[in-house]
Amino acid sequence: GGGIFRSTDAGVSWAATNAGLTDLDVIDLAIDPTTPATIYAATYGGGVFKSIDSGGIWASANTGLTNPTVVTLAIDPTASTTVYAGTFGDGVFKSVDSGSTWSEANTGIQNSWVDNVTIDPSSPTSLYAGTVFEGVFVSTDSGATWVAINTGLTNLFIYSLAVDPTTPSRLYAGTDGGGVFRSTDSAATWA
C-alpha cells in the first residue's frame, strides 16, 4: 500500500517514486531488459502502470485490460515490446506494443487466478503460469493456448515459478504450505 520506492545507492537509502501512480498497492514490477528506464507496475486494483523515466512518472497502461487486479508481469527477453500480465480471475493478457493495448491470451486458462508468469529464456514462445488452486499451466505458442501440467504436484496453489537460466528444462514451483517442487523435464512432471 505504499507504492514504489527507488534506491540509487545500491539499497542504502530509499525514496518513494509514486508520481502518477493512482493505486499504491503494487504487487509486481518488470523492467524492460532492452530499455531499463521503462518499468511496468502491476497493481491490485488499478491494473498496469508504466514509467519510461526509471519510475519518475507513472501512467496508466490499461487499454483492453478487463481486470484491474494484475498480480504478475513478464517481458519477453527477445522482444521487449511483448508483455504478459497475470490477473486474479481472468487469466493472462498480452501486449505486443509495450503496454499500450492488451488482449486476452488465455484460452485454456481464462478463468484462473494467475499468480506468476515466467518465460523460458531459451524459447520465449514457451510460457509457464502458476495459478491459485489449479497448479501450473504451459503455453508453447506465446500465450495463445494453455494446458495444465500438474503431474506430481501435490499442492496446486502456486505462489512462484522460476526457470533455471542455465538449464531451462529445470523449473521450480513454490507453493502455499506444500514446499517447493522441481521439474527437470520442462514441467512435464514435478517432484
Side-chain angles (χ1 to χ4, degrees):
I4 298 170
F5 288 77
R6 178 176 60 192
S7 174
T8 57
D9 55 11
V12 174
S13 61
W14 294 87
T17 179
N18 295 325
L21 194 63
T22 59
D23 184 346
L24 298 182
D25 198 354
V26 178
I27 300 174
D28 195 18
L29 297 171
I31 299 173
D32 185 322
T34 308
T35 311
T38 299
I39 306 170
Y40 300 87
T43 68
Y44 194 74
V48 176
F49 288 82
K50 178 180 176 181
S51 172
I52 58 172
D53 62 356
S54 301
I57 298 174
W58 296 90
S60 176
N62 291 319
T63 301
L65 194 63
T66 59
N67 189 329
T69 305
V70 178
V71 295
T72 186
L73 296 164
I75 300 174
D76 187 321
T78 60
S80 65
T81 57
T82 300
V83 184
Y84 298 90
T87 67
F88 266 7
D90 287 333
V92 177
F93 285 78
K94 178 179 179 180
S95 173
V96 294
D97 54 11
S98 302
S100 293
T101 59
W102 298 88
S103 59
E104 294 180 358
N106 59 17
T107 299
I109 195 174
Q110 61 264 27
N111 296 318
S112 298
W113 289 31
V114 178
D115 249 357
N116 188 282
V117 175
T118 189
I119 301 171
D120 181 338
S122 67
S123 177
T125 59
S126 294
L127 311 170
Y128 301 93
T131 67
V132 175
F133 307 125
E134 297 178 79
V136 177
F137 286 77
V138 65
S139 172
T140 57
D141 54 12
S142 301
T145 58
W146 298 84
V147 294
I149 45 170
N150 295 318
T151 302
L153 279 175
T154 58
N155 187 315
L156 300 181
F157 195 132
I158 309 298
Y159 267 131
S160 60
L161 281 173
V163 176
D164 185 325
T166 59
T167 309
S169 60
R170 184 179 301 136
L171 287 90
Y172 298 90
T175 67
D176 179 22
V180 177
F181 288 80
R182 179 177 64 190
S183 174
T184 58
D185 54 11
S186 299
T189 60
W190 297 89

